[in-house]
Amino acid sequence: MGRMSEESPPAEELPEYAERVLEVAELIPAGRVMTYGDVAEWLAEAGPRQVGRVMALYGGAVPWWRVVRADGVLLPGHELEALGHYRAEGTPLREAGNSADGQLPRIDMRRARWDGEGGP
């Protein structure tokens, strides 16, 4: 007991849709982003919520910070880690104004959004 036996089942395989979502995430160039809806549209399958679920469950091994909300708000609970990636990659950000004291910046979606053209 306490040791994995040789009879243990193999690790669960990644669902096919999840593999496709993660492949798109890996295509997004550094410094650019796609929304959950953009990824769903690229795949012509499912919607933003399904893409978000895949990223939440399986996205840790890909550049998850490049798949974002359409409003540019940083991923709750992962804001500082994501912000570090954005700054390192030169992702366009909209800094919080004086009236938003203590607020984190948002992604400048107009400048950062990648439409898939030209490859990574």
Side-chain angles (χ1 to χ4, degrees):
M1 198 118 176
R3 260 181 44 201
M4 279 185 58
S5 73
E6 291 180 26
E7 287 87 37
S8 294
E12 185 180 323
E13 280 191 35
L14 206 57
E16 189 266 340
Y17 181 70
E19 283 183 26
R20 293 175 57 217
V21 168
L22 299 179
E23 286 170 4
V24 173
E26 289 180 325
L27 292 174
I28 304 167
R32 304 299 297 273
V33 298
M34 288 180 93
T35 68
Y36 298 112
D38 292 341
V39 173
E41 190 176 315
W42 174 290
L43 295 172
E45 185 178 348
R49 289 179 187 265
Q50 290 80 6
V51 171
R53 178 104 173 117
V54 167
M55 294 305 294
L57 292 174
Y58 308 108
V62 299
W64 53 266
W65 58 92
R66 296 181 192 155
V67 181
V68 300
R69 292 172 37 158
D71 62 6
V73 170
L74 306 187
L75 183 65
H78 301 277
E79 299 95 339
L80 296 180
E81 185 178 356
L83 188 56
H85 288 293
Y86 297 138
R87 288 195 168 136
E89 294 182 355
T91 305
L93 298 172
R94 295 177 62 216
E95 295 298 330
N98 290 340
S99 63
D101 193 42
Q103 295 286 327
L104 290 168
R106 290 183 180 209
I107 298 162
D108 183 338
M109 294 303 292
R110 188 179 56 77
R111 293 173 43 224
R113 200 171 194 169
W114 185 60
D115 62 6
E117 291 297 315

